[in-house]
Amino acid sequence: DAKQVPKDFLHINDFDKETIMKILNRAIEVKAMIKSGDRSFQPFKGKSMAMIFAKPSMRTRVSFETGFFLLGGHAVYLGPDDIQMGKREETRDVARVLSGYNDVIMARVFGHQDILDLAKYASVPVINGLTDYNHPCQIMADALTMIEHIGRIENTKVVYVGDGNNIVHSWLLLAAVLPFHFVCACPKGFEPDAKTVEIARSAGISKIEITNDPREAVKGADVVYTDVWASMGQKEEAEYRKQKFQGFMVDETLMEIAGPQAYLMHCLPAERGVEVTDGAIEAPNSIVFPQAENRMHAQNAIMLHVLGA
Ligand code: CP
Ligand code: NVA
């Protein structure tokens, strides 16, 4: 079936390779302009964005708000207590009311159905700022960071070590669009969603491996990637997970096994001494801070895309 052109940015594989590359190239272009101090590009002048946060955030909130402002727009932050989506007010009502005030909605929610409902009932574009299921803006920023540091995404080996969570799902959905080798090394019982693994595999574009052996997995990796073992909404499982994830910490030894070509990436926030060591994060091959900075540039290009600017 021919895919409909989506008004929203909810999953990376809602787009074809050409569109994803177009957004990434736009990010590079607009980043150069912003870094040069040039503020003449104001495509969002007179536009406003509602930002719904059902969960905490530093990067997503600040990068969206700042990026939208730098391109001429105004962003409204709505924290967990403001809307209380699904509690004080139904999602479909939130979507329609905000569509009357704002040109675009960005939302970070718990259940993935909430972002689907927002997108369905909003007449303006909805951008997914993380759900329990995925985090597409993060992986677009990660792809941008790989282009800058490695020169490409295609034919690289990306090895994710840790929990098969929302970050992994977005990597898998990117692998359904662009060709690279993606490996997820996770403890038994913490594998990514089987349906999503199947989407990535059946696309027939990338090599996809799910394994329980991080030491074998990281060999020859261009990127070793990790994330917290207990995501937002799972924090009460943190101690239990620490037991289950023994042997999955990304430390200097694992990076050495990966090889000198390997970069360390982490979406942050990191728990040093849990899923990653302080030494690994502070090492010269760690690109976690350029990666974090790229959230803003990738998202600026995503906003330009959905707003047709
Ligand atoms: N990586 C990321 O999304 O960070 P925040 O939770 O701080 O937004
Ligand atoms: N997996 C983490 C990502 C945070 C940016 C979480 O969902 O909490």
Short mmCIF file of all heavy atoms in Angstrom, two decimals, residues 17 22 37 41 67 72 88 106 117 121 140 145 166 175 216 219 243 251 255 271 276 286:
data_model
loop_
_atom_site.label_atom_id
_atom_site.label_comp_id
_atom_site.label_asym_id
_atom_site.label_seq_id
_atom_site.Cartn_x
_atom_site.Cartn_y
_atom_site.Cartn_z
N LYS A 17 12.85 6.71 3.22
CA LYS A 17 14.27 7.06 3.36
C LYS A 17 14.56 8.47 2.86
O LYS A 17 15.31 9.23 3.48
CB LYS A 17 15.09 6.02 2.57
CG LYS A 17 16.56 6.29 2.55
CD LYS A 17 17.29 5.19 1.79
CE LYS A 17 18.72 5.60 1.52
NZ LYS A 17 19.47 4.56 0.82
N LYS A 22 16.12 13.90 3.99
CA LYS A 22 15.84 15.32 3.73
C LYS A 22 15.78 16.09 5.07
O LYS A 22 16.34 17.17 5.20
CB LYS A 22 14.50 15.44 2.98
CG LYS A 22 14.36 16.71 2.16
CD LYS A 22 12.99 16.79 1.49
CE LYS A 22 12.10 17.75 2.27
NZ LYS A 22 10.68 17.67 1.92
N GLY A 37 25.41 32.28 14.26
CA GLY A 37 24.85 33.48 14.89
C GLY A 37 23.81 34.17 14.03
O GLY A 37 23.19 35.13 14.45
N PHE A 41 16.68 33.75 9.77
CA PHE A 41 15.72 32.73 9.35
C PHE A 41 14.66 32.57 10.45
O PHE A 41 14.94 32.01 11.51
CB PHE A 41 16.48 31.42 9.11
CG PHE A 41 15.63 30.29 8.58
CD1 PHE A 41 14.84 30.44 7.44
CD2 PHE A 41 15.66 29.04 9.20
CE1 PHE A 41 14.08 29.38 6.95
CE2 PHE A 41 14.91 27.98 8.71
CZ PHE A 41 14.12 28.16 7.58
N GLY A 67 14.60 25.83 20.38
CA GLY A 67 14.65 25.72 18.93
C GLY A 67 13.51 26.45 18.25
O GLY A 67 13.71 27.18 17.27
N GLY A 72 11.80 31.86 15.50
CA GLY A 72 10.79 32.90 15.48
C GLY A 72 9.49 32.61 16.19
O GLY A 72 8.62 33.48 16.30
N ARG A 88 -7.96 14.89 34.29
CA ARG A 88 -8.79 16.09 34.38
C ARG A 88 -9.60 16.27 33.11
O ARG A 88 -10.69 16.84 33.13
CB ARG A 88 -7.90 17.31 34.62
CG ARG A 88 -8.65 18.62 34.78
CD ARG A 88 -7.72 19.74 35.23
NE ARG A 88 -8.45 20.98 35.44
CZ ARG A 88 -8.59 21.92 34.51
NH1 ARG A 88 -8.04 21.78 33.33
NH2 ARG A 88 -9.27 23.02 34.79
N MET A 106 3.53 19.33 20.62
CA MET A 106 4.57 18.34 20.95
C MET A 106 4.12 17.70 22.25
O MET A 106 3.64 18.41 23.14
CB MET A 106 5.90 19.06 21.14
CG MET A 106 7.12 18.18 21.17
SD MET A 106 7.33 17.26 22.68
CE MET A 106 7.31 18.58 23.86
N ASP A 117 -4.01 9.09 19.90
CA ASP A 117 -5.29 9.79 20.06
C ASP A 117 -5.13 11.29 19.85
O ASP A 117 -5.97 11.94 19.20
CB ASP A 117 -5.87 9.54 21.46
CG ASP A 117 -6.38 8.11 21.61
OD1 ASP A 117 -6.55 7.42 20.58
OD2 ASP A 117 -6.59 7.68 22.77
N TYR A 121 -7.16 13.35 16.86
CA TYR A 121 -8.16 14.40 17.12
C TYR A 121 -7.64 15.81 16.90
O TYR A 121 -8.43 16.76 16.80
CB TYR A 121 -8.76 14.25 18.52
CG TYR A 121 -9.66 13.04 18.61
CD1 TYR A 121 -9.20 11.82 19.11
CD2 TYR A 121 -10.98 13.11 18.14
CE1 TYR A 121 -10.03 10.70 19.16
CE2 TYR A 121 -11.81 12.01 18.18
CZ TYR A 121 -11.33 10.81 18.69
OH TYR A 121 -12.16 9.72 18.72
N MET A 140 16.41 10.52 15.76
CA MET A 140 16.77 11.43 14.65
C MET A 140 18.01 12.24 15.05
O MET A 140 18.91 12.45 14.22
CB MET A 140 15.60 12.36 14.33
CG MET A 140 14.43 11.68 13.66
SD MET A 140 14.81 11.02 12.01
CE MET A 140 14.75 12.55 11.04
N THR A 145 23.98 12.91 14.72
CA THR A 145 25.28 12.86 15.41
C THR A 145 26.20 11.84 14.74
O THR A 145 27.41 12.07 14.61
CB THR A 145 25.06 12.51 16.90
OG1 THR A 145 24.04 13.37 17.41
CG2 THR A 145 26.33 12.68 17.70
N ASN A 166 11.94 1.97 24.83
CA ASN A 166 11.47 2.91 23.81
C ASN A 166 12.59 3.37 22.86
O ASN A 166 12.35 3.57 21.66
CB ASN A 166 10.76 4.12 24.46
CG ASN A 166 11.48 4.68 25.68
OD1 ASN A 166 12.61 4.30 25.99
ND2 ASN A 166 10.82 5.60 26.39
N ALA A 175 15.89 1.37 11.46
CA ALA A 175 16.50 0.28 10.69
C ALA A 175 15.54 -0.28 9.64
O ALA A 175 15.96 -0.98 8.72
CB ALA A 175 16.97 -0.83 11.62
N GLU A 216 30.21 -10.16 23.18
CA GLU A 216 30.29 -10.62 21.79
C GLU A 216 29.68 -9.57 20.86
O GLU A 216 30.23 -9.28 19.79
CB GLU A 216 29.54 -11.96 21.68
CG GLU A 216 29.85 -12.79 20.46
CD GLU A 216 31.35 -12.96 20.18
OE1 GLU A 216 32.12 -13.25 21.13
OE2 GLU A 216 31.74 -12.80 19.00
N LYS A 219 31.73 -6.15 19.57
CA LYS A 219 32.94 -6.24 18.74
C LYS A 219 32.76 -5.57 17.39
O LYS A 219 31.84 -5.90 16.65
CB LYS A 219 33.34 -7.72 18.55
CG LYS A 219 33.96 -8.31 19.80
CD LYS A 219 34.35 -9.78 19.62
CE LYS A 219 34.76 -10.36 20.97
NZ LYS A 219 34.70 -11.84 20.97
N GLN A 243 19.62 -6.04 39.66
CA GLN A 243 20.01 -7.45 39.79
C GLN A 243 20.00 -8.13 38.42
O GLN A 243 20.94 -8.80 38.03
CB GLN A 243 19.05 -8.20 40.72
CG GLN A 243 18.85 -7.58 42.09
CD GLN A 243 20.17 -7.35 42.82
OE1 GLN A 243 21.01 -8.25 42.88
NE2 GLN A 243 20.36 -6.14 43.34
N ASP A 251 31.13 -0.14 30.43
CA ASP A 251 32.30 0.41 31.12
C ASP A 251 33.48 0.47 30.15
O ASP A 251 33.35 0.14 28.97
CB ASP A 251 32.63 -0.42 32.37
CG ASP A 251 32.89 -1.88 32.06
OD1 ASP A 251 33.04 -2.24 30.87
OD2 ASP A 251 32.94 -2.69 33.02
N MET A 255 34.03 -1.01 26.23
CA MET A 255 34.39 -0.11 25.13
C MET A 255 35.68 -0.57 24.46
O MET A 255 35.85 -0.43 23.25
CB MET A 255 34.51 1.34 25.62
CG MET A 255 33.19 1.99 26.03
SD MET A 255 31.87 1.90 24.78
CE MET A 255 32.55 2.91 23.45
N GLU A 271 22.60 7.33 34.59
CA GLU A 271 22.90 7.02 35.98
C GLU A 271 24.31 6.43 36.00
O GLU A 271 24.50 5.23 35.77
CB GLU A 271 21.90 6.00 36.53
CG GLU A 271 20.68 6.63 37.12
CD GLU A 271 19.98 5.69 38.09
OE1 GLU A 271 20.45 5.54 39.24
OE2 GLU A 271 18.97 5.08 37.67
N VAL A 276 26.10 2.77 33.01
CA VAL A 276 27.31 3.28 32.34
C VAL A 276 28.25 3.81 33.42
O VAL A 276 27.80 4.32 34.44
CB VAL A 276 26.93 4.37 31.32
CG1 VAL A 276 26.35 5.61 31.99
CG2 VAL A 276 28.10 4.76 30.42
N SER A 286 33.49 9.42 23.82
CA SER A 286 32.08 9.61 24.19
C SER A 286 31.55 10.83 23.48
O SER A 286 32.14 11.91 23.53
CB SER A 286 31.98 9.79 25.71
OG SER A 286 30.76 10.42 26.04
#
